[in-house]
Each structure stands twice: as C-alpha cells, then as structure tokens.
Amino acid sequence: SVNCGACQLHTCMKILIVSGIFPPDIGGPATYVPVIAAGLTQREHQVRVITLSDHPDRGEAGWPYPVVRIPRPLYKPLRMLLTTATIIRYGRAADLLFVNGLALEAAVANLVLRKPLVQKVVGDLAWERSRTSGRVAEDLEQFQTKKYSLRVELLKRLRSWWVRSSSAVITPSRYLKRI
C-alpha cells in the first residue's frame, strides 16, 4: 500500500481493474466493474479500468476514472498480446491488479509486473469453453478429475496456473472455492 497524501484515515492505492466487458456491453462484469470502481474511487483510491470493447474510441467519457478500451475484433492472438502489453503499461503505476476477466493476459502480464493480483472467479473457464466447444460432456465436478485430450488438459493447466498465480481469489460460493 501507498499513502497518496489525500487520505487521512486510510491508505490510498492505485488499482488497475482488468475486465473482459464494460458498459455499454451487457452482462455481469459490465454491471459489477463500474460499481466496484466507483466504490473504490469514493474511498479515494485511484482506479483505472482496462477492458475489451467493440467501440474502442469511446474511451473514458462519463466515468470518474480512466477507461482504456482495447479493440475486441482483433485477431485473437494479436488481441491477447495487445491486452497483455496494455496491462503491463498501465500496471507499472498500479499497487494492485483486480482481475474480473482476461485472467490469462493479466497473469502473464504480472510475470513482468510482480504486483499483488486479486482475481474474481465466478466459474471454471476451462470447463465452460470445453463444454461449449463440444470437447467434453461431463458436468463440472466430473471435469475436475477426468483426463481429456491434450487441448483440454492444456486449458485446465492454464486455468489452474492463472488462479494459483493470484495473491487472493474471490468466489461467489464455497462450492466454487472448493473446485
């Protein structure tokens, strides 16, 4: 933590929030991230949001903190590289990374940054992607113990790595915490 001088009773932090979606997108993170960012800003923390966007030209207009928008339609490997580089660029000035999406990119960026990383995990991305693509048919619990193709096993290892690379993990339930 760093005392920013403006805070008399608590320590101000520079917090970089990383999210896959943000308004005008619709969805859980697009609802949650502005609320938590506003709450942190009201507590005099310095907040910046990095997000993917179909409208990267919208920038930060209307928000009480900077919003950095990365073009979503880019070729996926290029977009992942640009996202990682953007997290590194803005993460250098941050005291803490709060990750609410784009976990792989944030974890890779944090290999360079070496900052505390708090991650909100609301599901198993490896299972969700494998199930959606038709590579697995099992339920979430069976997925944790069964062996699959190299591609699915790699995704499971990546998911485990980016979760374990966090300083703290927030889950919405004990059930998900256990998994």
Side-chain angles (χ1 to χ4, degrees):
S1 329
V2 177
N3 187 333
C4 69
C7 304
Q8 300 300 318
L9 301 175
H10 66 280
T11 303
C12 286
M13 296 184 74
K14 295 176 183 173
I15 302 170
L16 181 64
I17 299 177
V18 180
S19 179
I21 63 174
F22 190 82
D25 296 327
I26 299 170
T31 302
Y32 173 78
V33 169
V35 171
I36 195 165
L40 290 167
T41 301
Q42 288 171 355
R43 288 170 181 78
E44 298 183 17
H45 297 289
Q46 295 177 26
V47 173
R48 179 181 306 269
V49 174
I50 292 177
T51 187
L52 299 180
S53 180
D54 292 325
H55 308 284
D57 55 324
R58 286 209 172 148
E60 59 190 75
W63 300 102
Y65 41 81
V67 177
V68 178
R69 295 180 185 270
I70 299 167
R72 184 178 289 124
L74 290 174
Y75 173 65
K76 189 168 184 174
L78 179 60
R79 195 249 325 134
M80 290 180 76
L81 185 61
L82 179 60
T83 301
T84 302
T86 303
I87 294 168
I88 292 170
R89 176 181 174 197
Y90 291 102
R92 291 186 194 283
D95 299 312
L96 172 80
L97 306 179
F98 180 81
V99 179
N100 195 81
L102 305 173
L104 177 58
E105 294 92 328
V108 169
N110 208 34
L111 290 172
V112 173
L113 296 170
R114 321 260 316 136
K115 304 281 182 159
L117 188 148
V118 175
Q119 187 175 165
K120 183 179 173 199
V121 177
V122 297
D124 183 343
L125 189 63
W127 175 73
E128 292 169 11
R129 286 192 178 165
S130 298
R131 181 90 182 208
T132 301
S133 68
R135 289 188 174 88
V136 304
E138 289 75 17
D139 67 28
L140 179 59
E141 289 195 37
Q142 293 168 328
F143 178 76
Q144 305 308 313
T145 57
K146 189 173 176 186
K147 297 292 180 196
Y148 296 96
S149 69
L150 180 62
R151 185 178 199 149
V152 172
E153 288 301 312
L154 177 60
L155 189 54
K156 286 170 73 173
R157 286 184 184 267
L158 275 172
R159 175 262 338 231
S160 295
W161 173 74
W162 76 57
V163 171
R164 286 189 180 114
S165 70
S166 302
S167 305
V169 177
I170 300 167
T171 61
S173 68
R174 288 188 177 118
Y175 173 78
L176 189 58
K177 178 183 176 183
R178 180 180 56 81
I179 287 182

